[in-house]
Amino acid sequence: MPRTAAPLLTSPYPNSPIPRAADSDRRRTNASVILRSVLEHGPVARSTISRLTGLSPASVTDYCARFTELGLIQESATPLRSKGVGRPHVPVDLDDSRFIVGGVHVAVPYTTVALLDLRGRVLAERRIGHDTTDPSRVLARAADGLGALFAEAAGSTPLGVGVAAGGWVDRDSGTIVDHPLLGWREVPVREILGTRTGLPVHVDGHARALVNGERLFGRARGSRSVLHLFVGNVVDAAFATNDEVHHGPRSQAGAIAHLPLRGGTEPCDCGRVGCLQVELSERTLCRRAREAGIVDGVNPTHVVAAAERGDPVAVRLLTQRARMTGRAAGLLLDILNPETVVVTELGVIHREDCLRALREEVGDARASAVVPTSFPDSVLAVAGGSVMLDVLFRDPLSVSQATI
């Protein structure tokens, strides 16, 4: 978050009371920015939080007392020396020892289940291969996998579960509306996993989830506008301005699968050629690698491994894909003009030549704005967990009180 901020809510009519609903919104917003300040700057003195947020010292002290009581923050053992005369400040910091969140990411070949702490760090992670695409079966196995991880972390208190997936995901209803690659339609994920885990469950699209992960814990922290481009089997995007991710009606924003990609050659089921998803998907990468005799399966990491061994065709396939991803990023940059573009794409994550190819395609003037994901080793786990952690940091008092 920015280092300085104006007071968060003031009435346009200073002699009139702010309505009760506005009071509630103000309390939620104040709690959010204070906890975010502790996350970003901790260990941090309460007086510094007051200066950063524009909130009064008394208000900051009151919120910190409530957070301490709930176990979200704790006083640091090492006082901060004052620059002037007076007693040292006792700083506060996030207490990451008590609470955890569960994360679920539903991909095409497998589901990732994970535990994360309040700093977004992955504590445990498992992949569960799909033996069926039946949503009830897939989600039941995910719940069982989470249950096993929670049992292994018996000393921690779970606050809830975040679920991320590709396709059309409606955050408000907790539903995967349409995931063509899995054949899922109107799947009530929140209801199914909530019933099986007994925990609050929040659901969102994985590109939006990763925007939240980046602005909370990653390279995009403090950026005024962030675009995230996710290139896997599913290709989609998310955009955030002023710390708010755009969802659109029924959370359908970010569906870019059928945007035309210049130079594309792959036929799409929609009847056109060169649509973004069919051109860039990992399925297409693996098919091309099989045709070239590089791999004999459907695992895209095997293409990366072949490139690491020096296979020139594997290198060419990955750098070409990165260039096409750069064209997609450039198109979205033209439309949205974000301050930061985060790209999650296999070659860009693991190979400098792929990152260079992507940036060359974007162009020198904007290349520095494009960065790879901050979570190269755990991006899917972070996506799931970030759905829940975003809810926590937006309304920390309600989330923690509902669970404790």
Side-chain angles (χ1 to χ4, degrees), residues 58-234:
S59 181
V60 170
T61 297
D62 287 344
Y63 279 105
C64 285
R66 295 182 71 184
F67 291 150
T68 301
E69 181 181 351
L70 291 169
L72 295 173
I73 69 173
Q74 60 186 344
E75 290 189 341
S76 175
T78 305
L80 297 174
R81 289 290 171 187
S82 173
K83 293 182 180 179
V85 178
R87 299 172 60 187
H89 297 292
V90 179
V92 293
D93 203 356
L94 205 66
D95 186 348
D96 53 28
S97 64
R98 178 174 179 181
F99 295 114
I100 54 176
V101 302
V104 177
H105 180 278
V106 182
V108 174
Y110 56 84
T111 295
T112 301
V113 296
L115 303 183
L116 287 79
D117 68 12
L118 299 193
R119 298 185 190 275
R121 297 178 298 205
V122 177
L123 306 175
E125 177 180 355
R126 290 181 184 171
R127 286 184 176 180
I128 303 170
H130 294 167
D131 56 5
T132 175
T133 58
D134 175 70
S136 297
R137 172 66 175 161
V138 169
L139 294 174
R141 295 185 71 197
D144 292 343
L146 268 182
L149 293 183
F150 283 137
E152 292 173 5
S156 300
T157 300
L159 288 174
V161 177
V163 184
W168 177 5
V169 182
D170 181 7
R171 176 188 62 170
D172 292 337
S173 66
T175 301
I176 293 180
V177 180
D178 188 22
H179 196 308
L181 294 183
L182 286 173
W184 290 14
R185 289 189 61 82
E186 300 292 349
V187 178
V189 176
R190 177 188 296 162
E191 178 183 339
I192 294 171
L193 284 180
T195 299
R196 294 190 69 96
T197 64
L199 291 168
V201 175
H202 299 272
V203 188
D204 209 345
H206 58 201
R208 292 190 294 263
L210 286 167
V211 164
N212 285 325
E214 292 286 348
R215 68 177 183 78
L216 286 170
F217 315 112
R219 292 190 178 96
R221 184 185 283 181
S223 293
R224 290 167 294 180
S225 56
V226 185
L227 168 71
H228 187 276
L229 176 59
F230 185 97
V231 181
N233 282 309
V234 172

Side-chain angles (χ1 to χ4, degrees), residues 227-231 235 237 256 259-262 276 280 321-338 340-343 355 357-371:
L227 168 71
H228 187 276
L229 176 59
F230 185 97
V231 181
V235 179
I256 59 172
L259 283 178
L261 190 59
R262 177 174 54 87
L276 208 60
L280 296 180
R321 185 175 189 244
R323 286 192 180 280
M324 297 296 272
T325 301
R327 291 184 188 177
L331 178 64
L332 295 171
L333 270 161
D334 288 340
I335 297 170
L336 298 170
N337 193 30
T340 304
V341 179
V342 182
V343 176
L355 180 58
L358 182 147
R359 286 176 168 166
E360 286 170 4
E361 198 66 36
V362 168
D364 291 342
R366 301 182 297 186
S368 61
V370 182
V371 297

